[in-house]
Every structure is written in C-alpha cells, then in structure tokens.
Amino acid sequence: MMRAGLLTISSTLGRQEEAGKRFHKEGLTLLTECGVPLHDLGVVSSLEGMSRVQSAIREVNPLIVLVATGGTSRLIRRICGAARGLVVLWGLPTHNSLPSCLEALSTIRERGGVRLVHGGVNQRAVEKVAFYIRLVEASERLHGARLG
C-alpha cells in the first residue's frame, strides 16, 4: 500500500522560505500525532528544487501539498502534473497561500483528483487532510477485494 506524502512549497522571496520550513514542521508534527503514516518530502521553493522530489511525488498517494506562501501557482501546477494519485492542496489563510492554490486550480481542473483544504496549520485542518488520506487508504484496501 502506498503511503501519503507531505510536501510543502513556498516562494523564495524575503523570509517566505523560513515560513515554509516552519509550516512544514508544524504540519508534519500534527499529522504524525494524528496517527497518519506519512512520507516527509520536505520543502520545495523552486522548479529546480522540485527535481529532488520528482520520483517521490510519483510514489505517494495522496500527495499533501502544504502551500505555505503565494507566488507558487506555477510550482503547484508542475507538482500536480507529476503526481499519479490524489493531490490535496492545503491552502493557508496567510501569506497569499490560498490565492496561489486557486490560481493553480483554475488551470488544473481537467486533471481531476485534486482537492483543496483551506485552513491554518491546526487540528481542524489536519482532520480534513487526514480524511482524504484515510479515504485513499480505504479505496486501496477495497481495490481488488471480493465483495458479496
């Protein structure tokens, strides 16, 4: 069974990379405490940095993309194009994260398999993200199972 993966993306402007690292650590901690088996893909801030995680993106399902800052819609589109399973975009209410998610979503709708969770790095948002992870796990367990 494939494991979920957490990838955080941020812009390279100003202190946004620092914010990305902080949000990633907080999100990873909350998801782990929630009992979700997770592959940590780290933080990516550029298309060049994406090459480091390209193969791992294809091996996780679902891929949780914590969008830490704005200015990342192009990177979101590229990541969604590389993913093979469900992608959950986790848009934060700060740092122009949600506008980047929405801009990317407007062009990747035809891909299908992309969901948006909006909320801070807190227990409520983690429960929404965990729902999608458990949904994929249940689907994989049922795949090929005989019913009846």
Side-chain angles (χ1 to χ4, degrees):
M1 184 180 322
M2 296 180 97
R3 281 180 25 175
L6 175 67
L7 175 66
T8 300
I9 61 173
S10 68
S11 171
T12 57
L13 297 174
R15 296 181 178 254
Q16 293 187 12
E17 282 183 288
E18 292 172 21
K21 290 175 185 174
R22 185 180 76 243
F23 288 133
H24 181 77
K25 184 177 179 183
E26 292 171 7
L28 187 62
T29 299
L30 285 171
L31 284 165
T32 302
E33 288 173 355
C34 198
V36 174
L38 203 59
H39 184 62
D40 180 4
L41 301 179
V43 181
V44 171
S45 299
S46 66
L47 292 174
E48 294 79 27
M50 191 183 137
S51 63
R52 175 183 58 81
V53 295
Q54 186 96 25
S55 63
I57 287 172
R58 291 187 184 105
E59 295 173 10
V60 297
N61 188 23
L63 172 62
I64 312 305
V65 181
L66 198 165
V67 182
T69 69
T72 54
S73 59
R74 187 171 164 207
L75 189 53
I76 293 169
R77 287 191 300 269
R78 186 71 60 92
I79 288 167
C80 288
R84 291 196 175 154
L86 177 68
V87 176
V88 179
L89 297 179
W90 184 353
L92 305 179
T94 58
H95 300 283
N96 288 323
S97 170
L98 183 60
S100 279
C101 289
L102 295 174
E103 183 179 340
L105 275 173
S106 71
T107 60
I108 58 175
R109 284 274 186 215
E110 68 278 354
R111 178 200 182 272
V114 179
R115 300 293 179 264
L116 175 64
V117 169
H118 178 244
V121 182
N122 56 43
Q123 194 62 39
R124 187 171 178 195
V126 164
E127 288 171 7
K128 293 176 187 177
V129 170
F131 166 78
Y132 287 111
I133 293 170
R134 290 186 179 108
L135 185 68
V136 168
E137 288 173 347
S139 175
E140 287 180 355
R141 278 194 302 274
L142 286 174
H143 183 73
R146 254 183 101 166
L147 302 175

